[in-house]
Amino acid sequence: MSTETTTATAAEPSATLPSPSSLRAALSTDGFVIIRSLLSPSKLASLRSATASTIEQARSGGWPHIRTVPKQFPPWPSNPPADGIWGVQHLLHPDLPGHDAYAAAYFDSGVMGVARALLSGDDEATAITDDDLVMELWNLLVGVMAHDFELRWHRDDVPAMLDAAGEAKALGLDERGEKRGTPAHAQWNLALYEDESLVVVPGSHRRPRTEEERAADPYAAELPGMQFVHLGPGDVVFYDNNILHRGVYSNGVERATLHGSVGVVGRTQQRARNVLQHGVGAWVDRCDFGGLEPDVRARAEAMREKLVRMGTEAGDVGFYSKDE
Ligand SMILES: O=C(O)CCC(=O)C(=O)O
C-alpha cells in the first residue's frame, strides 16, 4: 500500500479519517501512516505559542530536561552545550510552563482515537479502549540552529549489533518472517511547522536489514527506498519505532514537532524500560491535569495511574543500551 493512499485530510479531529482497518494496514505495510491536519487551527496556535517559550527556556539553560547535541540516546546532560539541543523532554512535567497545552494535545481525543485504532486488532476481542491505554512519553523535537546535525540510522528497540536472526526475533517476526501480534505501543510526530527531518525506509520494520543496509555508513545520506516524511503544520505521522529511520536537522531550520508514545496495559515488559529510562518516574505522581476538559482529564488521570503502576512493578529499569 502506498503512503499517498493512506493519508487523510481532516479539518477537525472528528472529521473524516481513514477507517481503523486502513490505518492499521498502512502502518503494517509501510511502517508509518500520515494523517493530515489532525490538529485544529486553534490548538495549533496555542501549541506554537507554548513551544516558542519552552524552546527559549530550554536553549538558555532554564529547563534541565533536554536532548543535547551530539548525543543520540539518553541519559542526556542537563545543561545546553555550545552545540545546542535537539529536543526538550517531559512536556507533561508539572513544573514546565505550558504543560496544560501540552497535556491537552497529548490526551487529545483525535490523537488518542488514531492511537486506539492502530493498537487494536481486526476483531472485537482485540479492540483497544481508553481503559487499556498507558501514558508514556511526550517530548519536543527542535531545530539545531548552529550547524547541521544528524541522528544515525537506527531502530528504537533493536540494537544495530544484532545479526539477522537476532534482528528478526527482536522485530517480532515468526519463522515465516511474518510480524505477529498487535503492537505494544504507538509512536507519533505531530508537526507544528513544516517538517521533513524524519527519514524512514518504508517496510523495513518487518524484515532484518539487507546486506547493503548493514554495510552502509550509519549516517548514510542515501539508503535504497528511503523517504523523507514531509509534514505540514498540524500533520501527524504515526510510525513503528522499529522502522529503520533517522533524523536530519538542517542548519538554521527551526523545528517544533511534538514526539509522543502511548502504551497498552500488559502487552510487554520492555516498554517499562523504554519509557522509564527517560526519567518520567521522578514526577509522574505530581502531574497536574486540572486545566483539561472533564472527559479528557478523566482519560489523562487513568492513563497516568497506569504508568505509575507500571513504574512500581518495574523497579529500577536502567537504560536501554543501543551501542552508542
Ligand atoms: O527527528 C526525528 O523525528 C526522529 C527522532 C528519533 O529518531 C528518535 O528520537 O529516536
Side-chain angles (χ1 to χ4, degrees):
M1 184 175 309
S2 93
T3 308
E4 277 315 302
T5 60
T6 56
T7 60
T9 300
E12 294 291 338
S14 57
T16 327
L17 287 172
S19 67
S21 60
S22 64
L23 287 169
R24 284 194 289 279
L27 186 69
S28 161
T29 305
D30 299 327
F32 68 104
V33 55
I34 299 170
I35 297 151
R36 303 286 176 202
S37 306
L38 187 66
L39 208 60
S40 68
S42 62
K43 287 179 183 165
L44 186 60
S46 111
L47 285 166
R48 282 181 168 186
S49 154
T51 52
S53 305
T54 299
I55 293 172
E56 194 181 320
Q57 184 181 354
R59 284 194 181 131
S60 62
W63 183 249
H65 309 293
I66 48 183
R67 296 185 178 198
T68 57
V69 175
K71 200 167 188 309
Q72 182 157 343
F73 302 115
W76 288 281
S78 34
N79 290 316
D83 276 345
I85 63 170
W86 63 279
V88 182
Q89 299 287 95
H90 303 325
L91 299 185
L92 299 177
H93 196 304
D95 298 340
L96 181 69
H99 64 82
D100 274 351
Y102 299 135
Y106 178 82
F107 297 105
D108 177 77
S109 298
V111 174
M112 286 298 127
V114 177
R116 282 194 308 268
L118 293 173
L119 291 165
S120 293
D122 284 327
D123 54 64
E124 215 168 297
T126 50
I128 290 296
T129 69
D130 272 359
D131 290 341
D132 301 305
L133 298 178
V134 187
M135 174 181 142
E136 288 196 354
L137 303 172
W138 198 216
N139 299 318
L140 175 66
L141 301 172
V142 303
V144 177
M145 306 312 278
H147 49 77
D148 288 341
F149 172 60
E150 300 175 14
L151 302 180
R152 56 191 158 98
W153 289 103
H154 66 285
R155 306 182 190 273
D156 284 356
D157 299 335
V158 182
M161 88 269 270
L162 291 183
D163 63 13
E167 206 177 352
K169 186 165 176 233
L171 288 171
L173 307 182
D174 64 17
E175 56 292 341
R176 298 207 327 260
E178 305 283 335
K179 209 167 164 78
R180 272 211 299 242
T182 38
H185 74 285
Q187 178 162 310
W188 68 97
N189 278 4
L190 195 172
L192 304 184
Y193 300 91
E194 297 284 330
D195 181 358
E196 55 176 16
S197 301
L198 176 66
V199 194
V200 298
V201 179
S204 58
H205 61 301
R206 50 190 169 80
R207 58 161 177 80
R209 281 162 297 169
T210 62
E211 284 310 315
E212 188 173 353
E213 287 163 351
R214 276 180 178 275
D217 185 288
Y219 296 92
E222 294 285 339
L223 279 187
M226 72 172 218
Q227 188 175 321
F228 285 86
V229 175
H230 183 97
L231 300 178
D235 292 352
V236 186
V237 60
F238 278 82
Y239 61 103
D240 183 318
N241 72 339
N242 283 330
I243 195 170
L244 206 49
H245 69 284
R246 72 182 196 126
V248 177
Y249 304 77
S250 303
N251 182 5
V253 175
E254 187 52 291
R255 183 188 199 202
T257 290
L258 299 162
H259 178 60
S261 68
V262 58
V264 177
V265 166
R267 277 208 181 153
T268 171
Q269 291 295 332
Q270 191 174 312
R271 280 318 282 168
R273 183 176 51 191
N274 284 27
V275 174
L276 298 169
Q277 67 173 346
H278 286 264
V280 180
W283 50 267
V284 65
D285 54 334
R286 290 198 294 118
C287 276
D288 170 16
F289 297 140
L292 299 178
E293 296 292 322
D295 56 332
V296 181
R297 181 174 181 182
R299 175 188 296 131
E301 293 292 2
M303 288 175 63
R304 183 188 70 87
E305 194 50 48
K306 278 169 273 178
L307 175 59
V308 171
R309 209 176 315 142
M310 180 169 95
T312 310
E313 287 161 9
D316 183 6
V317 291
F319 290 94
Y320 186 65
S321 164
K322 264 185 281 193
D323 43 39
E324 187 171 48

